[in-house]
Amino acid sequence: MSRFATAVARPQGAVLATNKVIRNTYMLLSMTLVFSAATAGVSVLFNLPHPGFIITLVGYFGLLFLTSKFRDSALGLVCVFALTGFMGITLGPIINTYLGLPNGPELVMTALGSTGAIFLGLSGYALTSRKDFSFMGDFLMAGILVAFLAGLGAMLFELPGLSLAVSALFVLLMSGLILWETSNIIHGGETNYIMATVTLYVSIYNLFTSLLHLLGAFGGDE
């Protein structure tokens, strides 16, 4: 009888732990998105200049490293808000560029709405279907690396066609990353809600900027 009770308790304990990670992840993600939107709003309001590619990379990877290092402590939460706040500041100048277009506000709102719809749809599907998308991990990591390098090439050699292709690829990759990370949480592959939040935030950020780029280009204003 005791063996049966132990066998039942373990799955129940795993389910409770998973539900806790899911709850904490989406709670923290909501707060970081609001904070990031606030810093982006400040950046837009004061028309702050973009810090530049190098500073953005150093700031992003530096704060990402600190977040990962302190992910099991309260300091990890501070690092998450520092990271997402910094990314919000870098987003402000990008939004300002599109707001300066004739149909800029419409483009920004369309990209924002599309990002929200994609995220909610994919997350909801992964949560309700309970399908295991772990098989996508290696493909996504390789694809993100290739897309990042291609994006660097497009920027350095000023290739607008390649830049658009990279944005389209990022939309697909970030959509896959949302499915993969949500599945990872559900099936116990990710037990740290801070790192889960960072992965989902980065997915949303890149999804939004990529959609904004594509909408701006195909809107005929770039």
Side-chain angles (χ1 to χ4, degrees):
M1 186 69 179
S2 60
R3 289 182 180 179
F4 176 77
T6 302
V8 172
R10 285 176 179 172
Q12 287 179 339
V15 169
L16 290 174
T18 297
N19 289 340
K20 183 179 180 181
V21 174
I22 293 173
R23 183 176 63 254
N24 289 343
T25 296
Y26 283 96
M27 186 180 299
L28 180 59
L29 180 63
S30 299
M31 290 189 290
T32 55
L33 286 173
V34 170
F35 182 65
S36 185
T39 58
V42 170
S43 182
V44 169
L45 182 63
F46 291 98
N47 198 24
L48 298 180
H50 196 278
F53 182 72
I54 300 299
I55 293 177
T56 299
L57 278 186
V58 172
Y60 169 71
F61 284 108
L63 290 169
L64 184 62
F65 170 78
L66 291 175
T67 302
S68 179
K69 181 178 180 180
F70 297 109
R71 60 185 174 182
D72 295 317
S73 68
L75 191 55
L77 292 172
V78 177
C79 294
V80 168
F81 280 98
L83 172 62
T84 56
F86 173 75
M87 296 307 292
I89 291 174
T90 65
L91 184 61
I94 298 174
I95 294 177
N96 259 338
T97 299
Y98 285 93
L99 288 177
L101 300 175
N103 60 338
E106 180 184 348
L107 288 176
V108 173
M109 292 307 297
T110 301
L112 185 62
S114 300
T115 300
I118 292 172
F119 175 74
L120 291 175
L122 292 175
S123 296
Y125 176 73
L127 287 168
T128 55
S129 69
R130 296 277 171 171
K131 287 186 177 180
D132 187 357
F133 292 98
S134 60
F135 65 90
M136 299 172 62
D138 292 338
F139 168 77
L140 288 171
M141 295 307 108
I144 290 171
L145 178 60
V146 170
F148 177 74
L149 294 176
L152 284 180
M155 183 184 64
L156 292 174
F157 298 105
E158 298 182 354
L159 301 172
L162 179 58
S163 180
L164 284 175
V166 170
S167 291
L169 181 57
F170 259 109
V171 170
L172 295 175
L173 288 170
M174 293 305 104
S175 297
L177 190 59
I178 291 169
L179 280 174
W180 177 80
E181 183 62 16
T182 306
S183 171
N184 211 21
I185 298 170
I186 294 171
H187 297 284
E190 178 60 84
T191 58
N192 188 285
Y193 71 95
I194 289 179
M195 297 311 298
T197 297
V198 169
T199 300
L200 292 175
Y201 173 86
V202 170
S203 301
I204 293 170
Y205 181 96
N206 286 316
L207 184 59
F208 172 70
T209 54
S210 297
L211 286 172
L212 192 58
H213 184 204
L214 291 171
L215 289 170
F218 289 110
D221 294 302
E222 287 189 331

